Amino acid sequence: MAPTATSETEAPHVTEHSITVSAPPATVYALVADVTTWPQVFGPTVHVEVLEEAAPGGGEQLLRIWAVAGERVRTWTSRRTLDPVARTITFRQVVTAAPVASMGGEWRVQELENGGTRVTLLHDYLAVNGDPAAEELIAQAVDRNSRAELLALKNTAEQGDIREELHFTFSDSEIVFGAAGDVFAFLDRADLWPQRLPHVARLELNEDEPGIQRMDMDTRSPDGSTHNTTSVRVCFEDRNVIVYKQLRVPVAMSGHTGRWVIEPLEDGTTRATSWHTVTLDPDGVRTALGPEATLSEARTLVREALGANSSTTLRHAKQFAEEARAES
């Protein structure tokens, strides 16, 4: 059951945030409408799943969203109504996360006379039991996330055609002669990676609630240097899937999300796949690789670096699962 406010007649708090975007409204609306891109576009968003959908591109959707709010990752379920003609998207949380008792709002995407776009993001909310301290926490989170989301939307929409060069996805796989559950167990216990994986120098893992993990990791590069990343992971043990988002990324990237997918195959083996989705930062690429560096060169280097680490992890997970099968 979702938490409820003290009084059904209590007036909700209403906020409004807006931004001007130098991009066509159709481009901006498409970014808001397509939730599969949100973890790459919006900093607070970790993962989104479409649970129900009336029709692609319009009508109603039921979503489950995981996002960073303050120092924690919170998850809730929302129902959206998309109107691509009016370019509005209304939303209402149907399963909230405390201290929120109710939350809803609307995206409005309006064309300006100069061909640009005005985006307005409205929220209305109530705190559980009308608690003033909770109201203040919600107000701060709504303000912080709304400003961050609108700025990220602006930056992404204004990339124009170059966004196709900046954004890419790739994967690496291993066939494992072992159980999917053992592969998942290896990947889930990231706190043991410094003892299990040669490229992990240090890893601090916190799991405030089952299945939601925060990681602070130092990774060794081939040249002996280390770089630090912080990530949030959502672990679905029932599906043998782990999704993650890096909150602190290397300078050449503006976004990095990924997933570990473990699939039992008909022949009794298991396929373990590491997926990466990366968005490059053009200024960061020049800072990291030099002013003459191209996006193509950066894509190749990022692909090699991330792929090398995930492939190493997959090989060790394979060994772990196959040894477990041999011992059983």
Side-chain angles (χ1 to χ4, degrees):
M1 294 287 292
T4 57
T6 304
S7 170
E8 293 182 0
T9 61
E10 182 180 352
H13 299 272
V14 178
T15 66
E16 177 177 325
H17 296 80
S18 60
I19 200 166
T20 300
V21 183
S22 298
T27 299
V28 178
Y29 180 84
L31 288 170
V32 181
D34 184 4
V35 295
T36 64
T37 67
W38 281 15
Q40 286 292 316
V41 175
F42 299 129
T45 306
V46 176
H47 182 58
V48 182
E49 294 189 349
V50 180
L51 305 179
E52 299 174 7
E53 188 167 32
E60 284 198 351
Q61 288 179 324
L62 185 66
L63 308 176
R64 184 158 184 204
I65 301 168
W66 288 260
V68 177
E71 296 300 316
R72 296 184 63 111
V73 176
R74 302 194 182 276
T75 182
W76 62 89
T77 303
S78 289
R79 189 170 297 280
R80 302 201 309 170
T81 302
L82 292 82
D83 186 340
V85 176
R87 296 196 187 99
T88 62
I89 300 174
T90 60
F91 58 90
R92 177 69 49 188
Q93 292 186 10
V94 294
V95 178
T96 59
V100 175
S102 69
M103 174 80 74
E106 183 176 25
W107 292 88
R108 296 175 182 171
V109 178
Q110 300 167 292
E111 184 172 11
L112 301 177
E113 290 184 359
N114 63 3
T117 303
R118 185 70 173 173
V119 183
T120 303
L121 177 56
L122 304 171
H123 284 91
D124 63 81
Y125 62 87
L126 288 169
V128 175
N129 298 323
D131 179 16
E135 289 174 352
E136 180 60 25
L137 285 175
I138 297 169
Q140 292 175 2
V142 167
D143 182 65
R144 181 171 55 247
N145 284 2
S146 295
R147 292 177 186 275
E149 288 176 355
L150 287 170
L151 181 58
L153 181 65
K154 173 183 173 70
N155 291 339
T156 301
E158 291 180 351
Q159 287 171 349
D161 294 338
I162 196 176
R163 184 167 183 264
E164 296 302 317
E165 292 186 71
L166 299 175
H167 189 77
F168 62 103
T169 297
F170 64 91
S171 66
D172 298 288
S173 295
E174 285 281 349
I175 297 298
V176 182
F177 295 88
D182 289 328
V183 178
F184 178 89
F186 183 94
L187 298 173
D188 178 58
R189 288 299 305 271
D191 57 312
L192 300 178
W193 284 4
Q195 293 80 49
R196 291 175 164 179
L197 297 174
H199 62 280
V200 178
R202 181 193 65 86
L203 193 149
E204 180 181 338
L205 184 143
N206 294 296
E207 192 166 13
D208 293 331
E209 57 184 277
I212 298 181
Q213 303 174 344
R214 296 181 69 101
M215 291 169 42
D216 187 310
M217 180 169 66
D218 292 335
T219 304
R220 295 186 185 91
S221 299
D223 63 4
S225 63
T226 62
H227 67 270
N228 176 262
T229 56
T230 60
S231 304
V232 170
R233 307 203 310 173
V234 183
C235 305
F236 301 99
E237 186 175 4
D238 59 329
R239 288 184 257 166
N240 289 319
V241 171
I242 298 173
V243 300
Y244 62 88
K245 177 171 184 172
Q246 284 193 350
L247 305 181
R248 183 186 300 141
V249 295
V251 67
M253 305 179 203
S254 64
H256 176 209
T257 60
R259 63 176 59 216
W260 303 94
V261 179
I262 306 156
E263 306 165 278
L265 303 179
E266 292 182 359
D267 62 2
T269 62
T270 297
R271 179 169 53 232
T273 304
S274 169
W275 288 91
H276 295 271
T277 297
V278 174
T279 303
L280 297 175
D281 175 8
D283 293 333
V285 167
R286 289 187 285 270
T287 298
L289 304 179
E292 304 303 319
T294 67
L295 293 179
S296 177
E297 291 170 338
R299 286 168 67 112
T300 298
L301 290 173
V302 169
R303 169 69 175 93
E304 291 175 349
L306 294 179
N309 286 345
S310 57
S311 292
T312 298
T313 302
L314 286 172
R315 288 194 299 270
H316 282 75
K318 169 184 171 75
Q319 181 181 357
F320 176 85
E322 291 178 350
E323 289 177 353
R325 172 169 287 184
E327 293 170 359
S328 63

